[in-house]
Amino acid sequence: MGPLVARLGRVGQRLRHADRARPWVLDTAVVVLAFLMLCLPDLLHEAHGDGDGPRRFRLVFTQLPTLGMLALQAGLVLPLLWRRRAPAAAFGAVAAVFVVQWSLGAALRADVALFVALYSLALHGRLRQLPWACAVMAGALGLVAARVSAAVSVWDALFFLLSTATAALALGLMIRIRRAQLAGLRDRAARLETERDQRGRLAVAAERTRVAREMHDIVGHNLSVIITLADAGAYATAAAPERGKEALHLIGDTGRQALSELRRVLGVLREADGPQGEPELSPQPGLTDIDALCEGVRAAGLDVVYRTAGDVDALDSGVQLTVYRIVQEALTNTLKHAGAGARASLAIVVADARLTITVQDSGPATPAGRPGTANEEGHGLVGMRERAALYGGHVSAGPAGPGWTVRAALDLAPQGGAR
C-alpha cells in the first residue's frame, strides 16, 4: 500500500507541475469532459426523439430544437474555460444561461455546470463574492423548484437542489482552506530554512571573530617577545656572545610556539579530507600555562612576580582560557610599553564566585616614558573587555604612579544554569 500511495503522490505532483505550466489544458479537458458526459446524451436523445424519464417529467419540460439546445449547452459549458482565471464572471455567465433555460421550461444535463461554477468560485474566487453568488444560486434553484412542482414537491426539490449546492460550496471551501494550510506550511518551512542559514552564517561570523581574537593574542604576544629578544641579542652579541646566542635560541623557541598555536587555531577551520587530513589539536591554554608565559616574558627582560590565591584549579577550561588570554595581553602590553628592565606583578585571586586579575608594572626603566598609552586604547584592551564580558565581568586599565595597572574581574556564578 505504501509504494502505491507514494507512486500516486508522484503522479499527482507531476500533474500539478504540468497544470502550472499549461493551465489551459486542464480547463479545456473539463469542458470537453462536460460536453461528452452532459451535453452529448441530450443531443443523442433529441436526435432519436426519445423521451428521458417518466412521462410526467416529459410533460412538464419543454422540448427544445437541436440548435436551441446546443446554444444553451454551449452557454452552460463554455464559461467553465475561465472558471479559474475569472470564477465570478464564469459563475455569472452560467447562472444567466441557467435562468434563461429554466424560464423556457427546459431541463438539460448540462445544468450541473452551475454547481461546478459555484465550486470554482468558492475555491478560486474572492470570499466577499460568495454571499451574492449564494443568493443568485438560491433564486435560480427556487425557479427550478417552481417549474418541477407539478411533478415533485417544491420542498423536496428545494431540499435536494440546495443540498447539492451546499455540498459544492463546502467542497470548494474545504479545498481552499487545505491549500491555504499547505501554503502556510511551505512558507513556514522556507522561513525556518532561511533562519537556519542565518544562524549558520552568524555562527561562522562568531567563530571568525573568536579566531581573530585568538590570533591577535598569539601573534601580538609572541612578536613582542621576539622583537625584544632580538633587540637585546643585538646589543649583547658584541659584549657577551653567549647571551646573544641564548637570545637567538629563545627567539626560535618563541617563534615555534607561536607557529604551533597558529596552526592549532587555524587547523580547526580546515575541512578534513579524511583520517589522514585531520589537524592534530592540542588543548587550549589554561592557568598551568601561565608559568611558561611568565618565563618567556622574563627571558625578554621583564621581571614578573606571579602569585595565585583561592581554588584556581577548580576553574573550568573556558574561564582558564579567558584568564590566560587577558594575562597574555596585559603582559604583552607591559613588555611593549614599559620595555626590558621593568618589573611587573601578576595576581590571580579567586574568592567566592569572583575572580580578580591584577597586572601592575613599575613603569619604563628609562625616563623616556610610556609611549602611546596616555590617550590611546588599542584592540588588545577591547579584546580583554570582550572576553571578560562573556563571564559578566569588566576590565579597567590606567596609570598607577609611574607604572600601569590592568584589573579584570570575572563573575563565576552560574547564570541561567550551568555554563
Side-chain angles (χ1 to χ4, degrees), residues 295-366:
E295 287 298 328
V297 174
R298 292 189 189 104
L302 179 65
D303 186 14
V304 180
V305 178
Y306 170 45
R307 69 180 183 88
T308 61
D311 191 7
V312 295
D313 295 331
L315 300 175
D316 62 47
S317 58
V319 176
Q320 292 194 31
L321 175 61
T322 299
V323 172
Y324 180 89
R325 293 305 186 197
I326 291 176
V327 171
Q328 183 184 49
E329 183 63 35
L331 292 179
T332 300
N333 289 337
T334 300
L335 182 62
K336 184 188 303 181
H337 298 295
R343 299 184 60 187
S345 64
L346 167 62
I348 300 176
V349 179
V350 177
D352 296 329
R354 193 169 184 83
L355 184 147
T356 305
I357 306 168
T358 305
V359 181
Q360 185 173 6
D361 63 68
S362 60
T366 61

Side-chain angles (χ1 to χ4, degrees), residues 119-371:
Y119 158 82
S120 301
L121 180 61
L123 178 58
H124 303 289
R126 299 177 182 176
L127 294 179
R128 64 185 181 186
Q129 297 171 339
L130 287 180
W132 69 260
C134 292
V136 171
M137 190 76 174
L141 297 182
L143 175 61
V144 174
R147 282 291 185 178
V148 301
S149 59
V152 180
S153 168
V154 173
W155 298 113
D156 291 343
L158 279 177
F159 175 78
F160 173 76
L161 294 173
L162 292 177
S163 298
T164 306
T166 302
L169 181 65
L171 181 62
L173 291 176
M174 181 187 69
I175 297 178
R176 184 191 188 109
I177 294 172
R178 179 60 177 170
R179 288 183 179 179
Q181 290 175 341
L182 292 177
L185 291 176
R186 284 192 293 267
D187 182 65
R188 176 176 172 80
R191 288 201 308 271
L192 290 176
E193 186 175 357
T194 302
E195 292 175 1
R196 181 198 63 190
D197 295 339
Q198 290 176 346
R199 285 195 299 269
R201 287 192 291 269
L202 290 175
V204 170
E207 181 65 12
R208 288 177 178 174
T209 302
R210 184 192 68 81
V211 171
R213 188 184 297 118
E214 295 286 328
M215 290 179 63
H216 172 272
D217 295 339
I218 294 169
V219 175
H221 168 74
N222 289 285
L223 281 181
S224 296
V225 173
I226 289 172
I227 291 171
T228 305
L229 288 172
D231 292 339
Y235 287 115
T237 300
E242 290 300 325
R243 295 295 303 272
K245 184 178 180 180
E246 181 182 356
L248 291 176
H249 283 302
L250 290 173
I251 289 173
D253 293 339
T254 305
R256 280 188 290 272
Q257 179 185 359
L259 183 60
S260 176
E261 291 192 32
L262 284 176
R263 284 177 175 171
R264 174 181 53 78
V265 172
L266 297 178
V268 298
L269 300 181
R270 298 175 182 170
E271 293 182 359
D273 296 329
Q276 301 296 330
E278 294 182 359
E280 296 181 2
L281 303 180
S282 60
Q284 293 277 21
L287 293 183
T288 57
D289 299 291
I290 293 182
D291 289 325
L293 177 66
C294 293
E295 287 298 328
V297 174
R298 292 189 189 104
L302 179 65
D303 186 14
V304 180
V305 178
Y306 170 45
R307 69 180 183 88
T308 61
D311 191 7
V312 295
D313 295 331
L315 300 175
D316 62 47
S317 58
V319 176
Q320 292 194 31
L321 175 61
T322 299
V323 172
Y324 180 89
R325 293 305 186 197
I326 291 176
V327 171
Q328 183 184 49
E329 183 63 35
L331 292 179
T332 300
N333 289 337
T334 300
L335 182 62
K336 184 188 303 181
H337 298 295
R343 299 184 60 187
S345 64
L346 167 62
I348 300 176
V349 179
V350 177
D352 296 329
R354 193 169 184 83
L355 184 147
T356 305
I357 306 168
T358 305
V359 181
Q360 185 173 6
D361 63 68
S362 60
T366 61
R370 189 182 188 94

